[in-house]
Amino acid sequence: MVKIVSKYFAALVLALLVWNFLIGSFYMNRTVTVKNYVIGSSYVPGSKTVSAGEGFSIYRNDEMGFNNDSISQIRNEKLRILVLGDSFTEAKQVFRSFNFVKLLEQKLDTDGDRYEVFNLGRNGRTIPDHVAYAEGYKSTFSSDYVVIQAGANAFGEGVFLDSGKENKVIEEDGEYKVVKTDFYHDDVGVKKWLKNNFDIPIVLAGLNKMRQFSIFNKTEDETNLATNSSTETLQEVKNDRLTDFLISELAEKYGNKFVLLYIPDFYSIKNGQVIFNDTKDINVVKEICQKYNVKIIDPTAKFVRLYEEKKKLPQGFNNSSPLGGHLNKDGHKIVADLLYDFFLI
Amino acid sequence: MIFSSLDFLFFIVAVLSLLILVRSQIIRRYIILFSSYFFYAYWDYRFLALLIYSTIFDYIIGKNIGKSTDDKQRKKILFFSIVMNLGLLGFFKYFNFFIASANSAFGGLNLNLSTLNIILPIGISFYTFQTMSYAIDVYRKKIQPADSFLDFAVFVAFFPQLVAGPIVRAADFLPQLKKEIIIRWVNIERGLQIFLFGLIKKVLIADRISYFVDIVFEGPGIYSTPTVWLALIGYSIQIYCDFSGYSDMAIGVARVLGFDLRKNFDIPYVSKSITEFWQRWHISLSSWFQDYVFTPMYFKISNYELLKKLNPQKRHLFSFVSSIMLGEALLGLWHGANWTFVVFGLWHGIWMIIYNLTRKPWGKLPALTRIVMTYLIVIFGFVFFRTSSLTNSFVYFNRMFSFESGISWIYSPMLMIVPLIVLAHFFAKRNNLKDYIIFDLSSFKGAFVVIFVIMSLFFLRMSYVNPFIYFQF
């Protein structure tokens, strides 16, 4: 009996070691984040990011925990552009050299090493975050220009989203306001302790996988309680008044030194056909930008042409779905080209 | 509860614990019976009564056939049993299909019959076939009527194979119930590994591929030709791993309890002809149709007075063609209430006839050519099987052969899975593997393999989980 128990124990240890190696090398690891009240949370500086669920990439984060080769707070003679955004900008689905931030820097530097473009994209960032951290970005980086990337849900329900978000919009006496959350994080108790003390791939991947079993998920009440958001606000979609407020806040915080890069949902699949969505929502955003003299870049027309000419979509990957998700290499190239054209002018 | 769920894990542990704790053989049979009923009721308690009714009905039928010495009387009782069982199946599974088809065919005559809100009881296609085969075997005097109602009830409701097969014959299972039910380590060792093997096929392969297959089949018109071909190959792997995986899990669970169920799949994609394919694919169903549909139909047709005037060769050909086409249409229809399944069956029927008429030249082709051609015939049949209507089937075929431009999606997991399946098939064929590969769980190697596999299932399991394909039948 003792022999069999020892064999099983040894087998368990070996299996854990093998799986730890495999997960750490090839599987998306759940990188631990670091809180930062000035410029928002980031990953652990120098940590490795592995992404294999959608697209594939492996890279090391920079000295501040973002997706750059290197990053510096100290100014030099180069023109400095900050790119803020969500997971579309963080772009862990593609290797760094293929993301639009890096492509932009390479294109701008063809005439000489005169630019530095920093990627401060972070999964889940929203417009309220960019409003709340505006002073922090200025004081930390003193950039010459800022690109703020917003996704399709940036001006509607996204801003009321729950856990993991660091800032949000609330309505008080009929007026909107950006407020900080309590820096609520997904994990509490044992899970949080394990993540903070055992930055081991197999432990973090295991915690992530537990979510797939419903008995380990938080109840709806627990979610609502933790995020201080009511289900009513979660229903708010495409609110023009809210959009107006957010763009006006960006204009106030960033002045004329920023451009809004808006990546909308430009298509849907209906009855087995690719149908391009109507441009009503995009036009609303453009009108409001015009009202506040905010420059906006909209890649929709180029995305549509990519599909019409080459039957390719700018989002999606071979290991997930080609019909949605994050920007792929084609999408990043289009965005980089548009930003390059913008900065040339 | 599906085999790959936590609920099932708790259930089987509870059943095993009870069987170990209880000493009485009678009570052990009752434990298996009531746990089977619990298992079925967990799916849908409303149809448990139907299962019990079917059990009581065919037990009485078997007794009456066995008691009767008058052949005409026996035949009448058997006929009554078949009518009732097929009536049950026909009503729950095909009523709305027949009504919709009639409305469609006679729409010009303003026929507009109403369909009913009928729910298909899970497993009905399997357990009605099981009880019918019992009645027929008793009539044919292949087996004696079951003397114990408890044993018969366990045979009908045995939970490992209740909802999605394999279809078990009374001749194979009832004798096993005469032996003692004992939970032995050697059975747990073997059964657990067979179960895990099935679980890998379902969770790691079938579910993963289904993500790709479902999206492409939902709208094939926007994809490139290579993509739709890849999705079709993916579907052939998905359905094989899904169904054979389920069968393996059923066989594994049965083994743990000390029962043997026959293998239901035998590396079907190395088949060199369509006839061989059906000897390797869903063996319990194809052999059921062979024994109870094709063969009797062949003899019935060949004994028609009209045909007796023909020469033996023509008589055989006519009987063969008719029985195959009719039988295959019914086999297709067994899978679902849709014309696509009928066409699926007829497709296979046509190729069986062609094969039988061209055996000699076919046999001269290289083995690999025959395997590839058989595989192509099978996957083309799967287009009808997978699509929801004949129109969609033709859209799919059009996309396969039109070479128009479209979104190219080479689903990268397929690049690993396809070679793995091909290698596994050829390895099994080359080594003439007739049984599962079983490790000694008291060894380090065996312990490592099982633990590693369980971890694989945990870490590589997709959040996108499909129900078993054959549950819908």
Side-chain angles (χ1 to χ4, degrees):
Chain A
M1 187 63 174
V2 171
K3 263 190 185 169
I4 289 180
V5 169
S6 336
K7 281 180 193 171
Y8 271 80
F9 181 74
L12 177 65
V13 168
L14 180 61
L16 283 169
L17 286 171
V18 170
W19 268 106
N20 192 59
F21 168 75
L22 290 172
I23 289 167
S25 303
F26 304 110
Y27 193 64
M28 179 171 151
N29 57 4
R30 198 167 155 77
T31 322
V32 178
T33 53
V34 171
K35 283 182 192 171
N36 186 321
Y37 292 96
V38 178
I39 59 169
S41 65
S42 64
Y43 297 118
V44 170
S47 62
K48 190 167 77 168
T49 290
V50 178
S51 177
E54 187 191 3
F56 180 73
S57 74
I58 303 175
Y59 57 80
R60 286 227 171 258
N61 294 302
D62 62 29
E63 303 88 332
M64 293 182 80
F66 294 100
N67 185 3
N68 296 290
D69 294 332
S70 64
I71 197 166
S72 172
Q73 296 176 49
I74 300 165
R75 279 308 312 256
N76 51 33
E77 70 283 0
K78 292 187 193 178
L79 217 67
R80 179 172 285 184
I81 302 171
L82 277 192
V83 182
L84 314 176
D86 54 25
S87 52
F88 276 67
T89 301
E90 186 185 343
K92 60 167 81 165
Q93 302 78 25
V94 298
F95 280 94
R96 184 173 291 148
S97 55
F98 294 112
N99 79 44
F100 72 80
V101 177
K102 197 69 186 165
L103 287 172
L104 173 64
E105 189 182 65
Q106 285 166 359
K107 284 175 84 80
L108 289 170
D109 276 347
T110 46
D111 292 332
D113 191 15
R114 296 189 294 127
Y115 291 88
E116 52 187 12
V117 186
F118 290 153
N119 185 341
L120 265 73
R122 180 83 169 83
N123 176 39
R125 281 278 151 81
T126 57
I127 302 287
D129 293 321
H130 305 318
V131 169
Y133 295 132
E135 296 309 317
Y137 291 138
K138 280 180 203 167
S139 60
T140 306
F141 296 104
S142 310
S143 59
D144 298 296
Y145 218 88
V146 176
V147 176
I148 298 179
Q149 173 262 313
N153 63 351
F155 300 109
E157 62 186 85
V159 296
F160 289 103
L161 284 178
D162 58 358
S163 61
K165 301 302 182 286
E166 298 161 18
N167 299 278
K168 61 180 182 179
V169 175
I170 60 166
E171 194 170 0
E172 242 177 30
D173 304 322
E175 297 285 322
Y176 286 122
K177 235 167 101 162
V178 172
V179 296
K180 288 193 191 311
T181 65
D182 290 333
F183 244 95
Y184 175 76
H185 201 275
D186 280 358
D187 304 308
V188 293
V190 172
K191 273 168 84 174
K192 189 175 176 181
W193 180 82
L194 278 170
K195 273 173 64 185
N196 286 336
N197 293 287
F198 287 93
D199 189 3
I200 303 168
I202 198 170
V203 169
L204 302 178
L207 288 172
N208 200 25
K209 274 290 169 181
M210 296 290 247
R211 290 172 158 202
Q212 288 183 11
F213 297 95
S214 58
I215 62 170
F216 295 112
N217 281 337
K218 296 194 290 287
T219 62
E220 193 181 313
D221 285 345
E222 285 171 342
T223 305
N224 284 339
L225 191 70
T227 60
N228 297 318
S229 58
S230 71
T231 39
E232 270 183 41
T233 50
L234 285 171
Q235 302 306 318
E236 206 159 340
V237 177
K238 301 295 180 230
N239 181 332
D240 294 356
R241 202 176 120 241
L242 179 59
T243 303
D244 189 288
F245 165 73
L246 290 169
I247 292 176
S248 70
E249 285 290 300
L250 287 176
E252 193 190 313
K253 297 286 182 186
Y254 293 93
N256 59 356
K257 292 289 183 77
F258 97 94
V259 60
L260 185 69
L261 169 64
Y262 185 49
I263 304 180
D265 277 334
F266 76 100
Y267 71 96
S268 51
I269 308 293
K270 277 180 188 140
N271 301 321
Q273 306 254 352
V274 172
I275 309 288
F276 299 119
N277 295 339
D278 70 46
T279 55
K280 178 175 166 291
D281 292 335
I282 304 169
N283 288 338
V284 164
V285 174
K286 284 180 178 172
E287 273 171 29
I288 296 171
C289 283
Q290 203 169 31
K291 180 180 164 187
Y292 293 105
N293 282 323
V294 169
K295 294 177 270 295
I296 178 168
I297 294 174
D298 166 25
T300 308
K302 295 258 182 185
F303 286 165
V304 170
R305 218 163 86 190
L306 177 70
Y307 180 73
E308 285 176 342
E309 288 177 4
K310 295 184 182 175
K311 292 289 183 256
K312 285 182 176 186
L313 291 166
Q315 288 157 263
F317 299 84
N318 276 340
N319 61 351
S320 52
S321 164
L323 303 183
H326 292 88
L327 291 176
N328 54 32
K329 285 185 195 172
D330 292 320
H332 277 284
K333 188 173 179 312
I334 287 174
V335 170
D337 287 344
L338 284 169
L339 282 169
Y340 175 71
D341 291 341
F342 173 81
F343 282 110
L344 263 194
I345 297 165
Chain B
M1 65 190 99
I2 56 172
F3 284 163
S4 51
S5 66
L6 275 177
D7 295 352
F8 181 75
L9 179 64
F10 296 140
F11 167 78
I12 194 65
V13 166
V15 171
L16 281 175
S17 306
L18 282 172
L19 289 172
I20 291 167
L21 289 169
V22 162
R23 299 283 169 167
S24 160
Q25 285 297 317
I26 295 286
I27 295 179
R28 283 181 178 176
R29 278 163 179 72
Y30 275 109
I31 288 169
I32 293 177
L33 178 65
F34 286 115
S35 56
S36 298
Y37 286 154
F38 176 82
F39 180 85
Y40 190 79
Y42 201 89
W43 285 101
D44 195 332
Y45 64 90
R46 295 172 293 179
F47 295 112
L48 181 58
L50 195 64
L51 174 66
I52 295 171
Y53 161 77
S54 199
T55 306
I56 296 169
F57 177 79
D58 279 296
Y59 177 74
I60 294 171
I61 288 286
K63 280 287 191 197
N64 283 316
I65 294 175
K67 262 193 294 188
S68 173
T69 50
D70 177 5
D71 210 47
K72 270 189 185 164
Q73 178 72 0
R74 297 170 90 246
K75 213 174 210 171
K76 272 187 195 165
I77 300 168
L78 176 66
F79 181 75
F80 180 55
S81 164
I82 290 172
V83 164
M84 284 301 287
N85 277 298
L86 288 180
L88 213 61
L89 194 59
F91 174 73
F92 282 102
K93 197 165 173 178
Y94 301 107
F95 181 81
N96 285 339
F97 167 66
F98 288 131
I99 293 295
S101 299
N103 286 340
S104 181
F106 301 107
L109 301 172
N110 283 328
L111 184 70
N112 192 18
L113 301 168
S114 321
T115 54
L116 299 174
N117 194 19
I118 302 172
I119 302 166
L120 178 66
I122 194 157
I124 193 169
S125 303
F126 293 92
Y127 69 73
T128 50
F129 268 42
Q130 212 155 284
T131 53
M132 268 200 292
S133 79
Y134 165 76
I136 296 168
D137 283 351
V138 171
Y139 169 78
R140 287 178 179 173
K141 295 181 181 174
K142 276 184 75 180
I143 56 170
Q144 290 298 311
D147 48 15
S148 155
F149 176 74
L150 175 58
D151 284 358
F152 184 74
V154 170
F155 155 66
V156 176
F158 190 51
F159 73 85
Q161 49 80 45
L162 176 59
V163 295
I167 299 169
V168 171
R169 305 285 184 100
D172 294 330
F173 197 80
L174 286 174
Q176 295 187 59
L177 285 166
K178 295 291 173 217
K179 298 178 195 161
E180 285 188 337
I181 298 172
I182 302 174
I183 305 300
R184 293 192 168 95
W185 167 250
V186 63
N187 289 334
I188 294 176
E189 183 183 54
R190 187 178 163 78
L192 172 67
Q193 291 181 69
I194 296 171
F195 181 85
L196 285 176
F197 179 58
L199 202 53
I200 288 171
K201 281 200 260 180
K202 162 65 177 155
V203 168
L204 298 191
I205 301 177
D207 284 350
R208 194 162 291 272
I209 295 180
S210 73
Y211 175 72
F212 166 58
V213 168
D214 289 350
I215 291 175
V216 175
F217 269 85
E218 203 177 300
I222 60 172
Y223 296 100
S224 64
T225 297
T227 300
V228 297
W229 270 93
L230 192 65
L232 185 57
I233 292 169
Y235 183 67
S236 73
I237 297 173
Q238 178 200 345
I239 193 171
Y240 167 66
C241 289
D242 189 288
F243 196 20
S244 69
Y246 185 92
S247 295
D248 288 334
M249 284 190 257
I251 290 166
V253 173
R255 181 93 298 261
V256 166
L257 298 172
F259 294 93
D260 275 314
L261 298 180
R262 278 205 221 169
K263 239 181 148 181
N264 210 14
F265 289 84
D266 185 14
I267 45 170
Y269 294 143
V270 296
S271 303
K272 295 193 202 74
S273 69
I274 201 71
T275 304
E276 186 185 346
F277 174 78
W278 281 103
Q279 290 164 354
R280 291 172 175 274
W281 177 275
H282 200 175
I283 299 166
S284 64
L285 179 75
S286 56
S287 62
W288 195 101
F289 266 81
Q290 179 69 40
D291 291 346
Y292 304 114
V293 178
F294 295 128
T295 308
M297 216 191 289
Y298 171 84
F299 284 114
K300 188 87 183 165
I301 294 170
S302 66
N303 280 321
Y304 281 152
E305 286 304 316
L306 269 170
L307 290 185
K308 281 181 181 169
K309 293 174 188 167
L310 296 172
N311 70 49
Q313 218 173 349
K314 282 185 181 165
R315 192 170 141 196
H316 159 74
L317 185 64
F318 185 85
S319 309
F320 176 74
V321 170
S322 321
S323 59
I324 287 289
M325 292 305 279
L326 260 167
E328 284 291 330
L330 289 172
L331 188 145
L333 198 58
W334 176 90
H335 286 86
N338 196 321
W339 287 110
T340 53
F341 292 114
V342 177
V343 172
F344 163 79
L346 291 173
W347 170 262
H348 278 264
I350 289 166
W351 284 103
M352 272 189 203
I353 292 163
I354 293 172
Y355 167 69
N356 273 278
L357 294 174
T358 58
R359 258 184 215 259
K360 272 203 178 128
W362 179 268
K364 287 179 182 159
L365 293 171
L368 188 60
T369 307
R370 284 181 278 156
I371 289 172
V372 170
M373 285 177 68
T374 303
Y375 178 70
L376 287 172
I377 292 167
V378 166
I379 64 171
F380 287 177
F382 279 147
V383 174
F384 299 110
F385 197 88
R386 178 58 178 78
T387 49
S388 55
S389 70
L390 292 175
T391 309
N392 288 344
S393 304
F394 290 120
V395 167
Y396 205 93
F397 279 121
N398 181 48
R399 211 63 187 144
M400 283 171 71
F401 295 105
S402 64
F403 298 99
E404 284 174 37
S405 60
I407 296 171
S408 181
W409 183 14
I410 308 302
Y411 186 53
S412 42
M414 288 283 288
L415 299 175
M416 223 165 37
I417 290 171
V418 171
L420 183 71
I421 297 293
V422 169
L423 279 169
H425 265 63
F426 279 101
F427 175 81
K429 173 81 177 160
R430 197 177 171 78
N431 293 287
N432 199 27
L433 280 181
K434 290 290 171 202
D435 196 8
Y436 299 96
I437 297 173
I438 303 291
F439 294 92
D440 174 10
L441 291 191
S442 60
S443 70
F444 173 78
K445 185 173 157 191
F448 175 77
V449 166
V450 166
I451 292 172
F452 187 85
V453 162
I454 291 171
M455 284 185 176
S456 310
L457 290 164
F458 178 72
F459 286 114
L460 300 179
R461 177 181 184 269
M462 283 184 81
S463 50
Y464 181 90
V465 174
N466 246 341
F468 287 98
I469 294 174
Y470 269 69
F471 279 1
Q472 64 188 295
F473 306 143

Short mmCIF file of all heavy atoms in Angstrom, two decimals, chain A residues 17-19 52 69 74 86 90 108 173 178-179 181 194 199 214 218 228 230 259 262 284 286 292:
data_model
loop_
_atom_site.label_atom_id
_atom_site.label_comp_id
_atom_site.label_asym_id
_atom_site.label_seq_id
_atom_site.Cartn_x
_atom_site.Cartn_y
_atom_site.Cartn_z
N LEU A 17 4.96 18.99 -12.59
CA LEU A 17 6.14 19.67 -13.15
C LEU A 17 6.03 19.77 -14.67
O LEU A 17 6.31 20.82 -15.25
CB LEU A 17 7.41 18.90 -12.77
CG LEU A 17 7.86 19.03 -11.32
CD1 LEU A 17 8.98 18.05 -10.99
CD2 LEU A 17 8.30 20.46 -11.01
N VAL A 18 5.62 18.70 -15.30
CA VAL A 18 5.48 18.70 -16.76
C VAL A 18 4.44 19.74 -17.18
O VAL A 18 4.68 20.54 -18.08
CB VAL A 18 5.09 17.29 -17.27
CG1 VAL A 18 4.70 17.36 -18.75
CG2 VAL A 18 6.22 16.31 -17.07
N TRP A 19 3.31 19.73 -16.50
CA TRP A 19 2.26 20.67 -16.87
C TRP A 19 2.65 22.11 -16.56
O TRP A 19 2.29 23.03 -17.31
CB TRP A 19 0.93 20.32 -16.17
CG TRP A 19 0.12 19.42 -17.05
CD1 TRP A 19 -0.11 18.10 -16.91
CD2 TRP A 19 -0.52 19.80 -18.27
NE1 TRP A 19 -0.85 17.61 -17.95
CE2 TRP A 19 -1.11 18.64 -18.81
CE3 TRP A 19 -0.63 21.00 -18.98
CZ2 TRP A 19 -1.81 18.65 -20.01
CZ3 TRP A 19 -1.34 21.00 -20.17
CH2 TRP A 19 -1.92 19.84 -20.67
N ALA A 52 -2.15 32.30 -26.11
CA ALA A 52 -2.33 31.22 -27.09
C ALA A 52 -3.80 30.94 -27.36
O ALA A 52 -4.11 30.14 -28.23
CB ALA A 52 -1.64 29.95 -26.60
N ASP A 69 9.28 47.34 -25.90
CA ASP A 69 10.65 46.85 -25.70
C ASP A 69 11.24 47.55 -24.47
O ASP A 69 11.91 46.94 -23.64
CB ASP A 69 11.50 47.16 -26.94
CG ASP A 69 11.02 46.39 -28.15
OD1 ASP A 69 10.46 45.29 -27.97
OD2 ASP A 69 11.21 46.87 -29.29
N ILE A 74 11.85 59.62 -18.62
CA ILE A 74 12.74 60.75 -18.87
C ILE A 74 12.60 61.19 -20.33
O ILE A 74 12.63 60.38 -21.24
CB ILE A 74 14.21 60.35 -18.58
CG1 ILE A 74 14.33 59.92 -17.12
CG2 ILE A 74 15.18 61.49 -18.91
CD1 ILE A 74 15.61 59.17 -16.81
N ASP A 86 -7.44 49.83 -24.87
CA ASP A 86 -7.81 48.61 -24.16
C ASP A 86 -7.05 47.42 -24.76
O ASP A 86 -5.92 47.57 -25.25
CB ASP A 86 -9.34 48.42 -24.21
CG ASP A 86 -9.90 48.44 -25.64
OD1 ASP A 86 -9.14 48.14 -26.59
OD2 ASP A 86 -11.08 48.76 -25.79
N GLU A 90 -3.29 46.86 -26.34
CA GLU A 90 -2.36 45.95 -25.66
C GLU A 90 -1.91 44.86 -26.62
O GLU A 90 -0.76 44.47 -26.65
CB GLU A 90 -3.02 45.33 -24.43
CG GLU A 90 -2.05 44.49 -23.61
CD GLU A 90 -2.70 43.76 -22.45
OE1 GLU A 90 -3.83 44.11 -22.06
OE2 GLU A 90 -2.09 42.83 -21.95
N LEU A 108 7.26 55.70 -38.75
CA LEU A 108 7.65 57.09 -38.48
C LEU A 108 9.17 57.22 -38.47
O LEU A 108 9.72 58.27 -38.80
CB LEU A 108 7.07 57.57 -37.14
CG LEU A 108 5.57 57.80 -37.10
CD1 LEU A 108 5.10 58.02 -35.66
CD2 LEU A 108 5.17 59.02 -37.95
N ASP A 173 -27.51 63.71 -9.63
CA ASP A 173 -28.36 64.90 -9.87
C ASP A 173 -28.43 65.23 -11.35
O ASP A 173 -28.30 66.41 -11.74
CB ASP A 173 -27.84 66.13 -9.09
CG ASP A 173 -27.74 65.85 -7.62
OD1 ASP A 173 -28.63 65.15 -7.10
OD2 ASP A 173 -26.77 66.32 -6.99
N VAL A 178 -16.92 61.17 -13.48
CA VAL A 178 -16.00 60.02 -13.47
C VAL A 178 -15.50 59.84 -12.05
O VAL A 178 -15.00 60.80 -11.44
CB VAL A 178 -14.81 60.27 -14.43
CG1 VAL A 178 -13.77 59.18 -14.28
CG2 VAL A 178 -15.30 60.34 -15.88
N VAL A 179 -15.62 58.62 -11.55
CA VAL A 179 -15.17 58.36 -10.18
C VAL A 179 -14.30 57.10 -10.17
O VAL A 179 -14.41 56.24 -11.04
CB VAL A 179 -16.36 58.16 -9.20
CG1 VAL A 179 -17.16 59.44 -9.10
CG2 VAL A 179 -17.23 56.98 -9.62
N THR A 181 -13.23 53.53 -8.72
CA THR A 181 -13.84 52.41 -7.99
C THR A 181 -12.93 52.13 -6.80
O THR A 181 -11.92 52.80 -6.62
CB THR A 181 -13.94 51.15 -8.86
OG1 THR A 181 -12.62 50.71 -9.17
CG2 THR A 181 -14.69 51.43 -10.16
N LEU A 194 -3.27 33.27 -3.32
CA LEU A 194 -2.50 32.35 -4.15
C LEU A 194 -1.83 33.10 -5.30
O LEU A 194 -0.66 32.88 -5.59
CB LEU A 194 -3.42 31.25 -4.72
CG LEU A 194 -3.71 30.07 -3.78
CD1 LEU A 194 -4.80 29.19 -4.37
CD2 LEU A 194 -2.46 29.24 -3.52
N ASP A 199 3.23 33.02 -7.93
CA ASP A 199 3.19 33.37 -9.35
C ASP A 199 3.74 32.21 -10.17
O ASP A 199 4.78 32.31 -10.81
CB ASP A 199 4.01 34.65 -9.56
CG ASP A 199 3.83 35.19 -10.97
OD1 ASP A 199 3.05 34.61 -11.74
OD2 ASP A 199 4.51 36.18 -11.31
N SER A 214 -19.19 25.98 -12.91
CA SER A 214 -20.08 27.01 -12.39
C SER A 214 -20.10 27.09 -10.87
O SER A 214 -20.35 28.12 -10.30
CB SER A 214 -21.50 26.79 -12.92
OG SER A 214 -21.95 25.51 -12.55
N LYS A 218 -18.73 33.31 -8.87
CA LYS A 218 -19.47 34.18 -7.95
C LYS A 218 -20.93 34.19 -8.36
O LYS A 218 -21.26 34.05 -9.52
CB LYS A 218 -18.95 35.62 -8.03
CG LYS A 218 -17.51 35.78 -7.58
CD LYS A 218 -17.18 37.24 -7.35
CE LYS A 218 -17.13 38.05 -8.63
NZ LYS A 218 -15.95 37.77 -9.43
N ASN A 228 -20.64 47.55 -6.94
CA ASN A 228 -21.46 48.72 -6.66
C ASN A 228 -22.22 49.22 -7.87
O ASN A 228 -22.49 50.41 -8.00
CB ASN A 228 -20.58 49.88 -6.14
CG ASN A 228 -19.93 49.52 -4.83
OD1 ASN A 228 -20.58 48.93 -3.98
ND2 ASN A 228 -18.67 49.86 -4.68
N SER A 230 -25.63 48.83 -10.36
CA SER A 230 -26.97 48.24 -10.40
C SER A 230 -27.20 47.63 -11.77
O SER A 230 -26.58 48.02 -12.74
CB SER A 230 -28.02 49.31 -10.16
OG SER A 230 -28.09 50.16 -11.27
N VAL A 259 -5.70 62.42 -30.47
CA VAL A 259 -6.59 61.96 -31.53
C VAL A 259 -7.31 60.72 -31.03
O VAL A 259 -6.72 59.89 -30.33
CB VAL A 259 -5.82 61.68 -32.85
CG1 VAL A 259 -4.75 60.60 -32.65
CG2 VAL A 259 -6.76 61.27 -33.96
N TYR A 262 -11.03 55.30 -33.20
CA TYR A 262 -12.28 54.59 -32.86
C TYR A 262 -12.39 53.34 -33.72
O TYR A 262 -12.41 53.41 -34.93
CB TYR A 262 -13.45 55.54 -33.11
CG TYR A 262 -14.81 54.99 -32.69
CD1 TYR A 262 -14.99 54.43 -31.44
CD2 TYR A 262 -15.90 55.05 -33.54
CE1 TYR A 262 -16.22 53.94 -31.04
CE2 TYR A 262 -17.13 54.56 -33.16
CZ TYR A 262 -17.29 54.00 -31.90
OH TYR A 262 -18.52 53.52 -31.51
N VAL A 284 -22.63 59.42 -35.05
CA VAL A 284 -22.94 60.14 -33.81
C VAL A 284 -21.64 60.52 -33.10
O VAL A 284 -21.46 61.66 -32.67
CB VAL A 284 -23.83 59.27 -32.90
CG1 VAL A 284 -23.84 59.81 -31.48
CG2 VAL A 284 -25.24 59.20 -33.44
N LYS A 286 -18.71 60.84 -34.46
CA LYS A 286 -18.00 61.84 -35.28
C LYS A 286 -18.59 63.23 -35.09
O LYS A 286 -17.84 64.23 -35.00
CB LYS A 286 -18.04 61.44 -36.75
CG LYS A 286 -17.09 60.31 -37.09
CD LYS A 286 -17.17 59.94 -38.58
CE LYS A 286 -16.17 58.87 -38.89
NZ LYS A 286 -16.32 58.33 -40.24
N TYR A 292 -16.52 69.21 -30.31
CA TYR A 292 -15.48 69.56 -29.34
C TYR A 292 -14.10 69.68 -29.97
O TYR A 292 -13.09 69.71 -29.29
CB TYR A 292 -15.45 68.52 -28.20
CG TYR A 292 -16.69 68.55 -27.34
CD1 TYR A 292 -17.66 67.56 -27.45
CD2 TYR A 292 -16.90 69.59 -26.42
CE1 TYR A 292 -18.82 67.60 -26.69
CE2 TYR A 292 -18.06 69.63 -25.65
CZ TYR A 292 -19.01 68.64 -25.80
OH TYR A 292 -20.16 68.67 -25.03
#
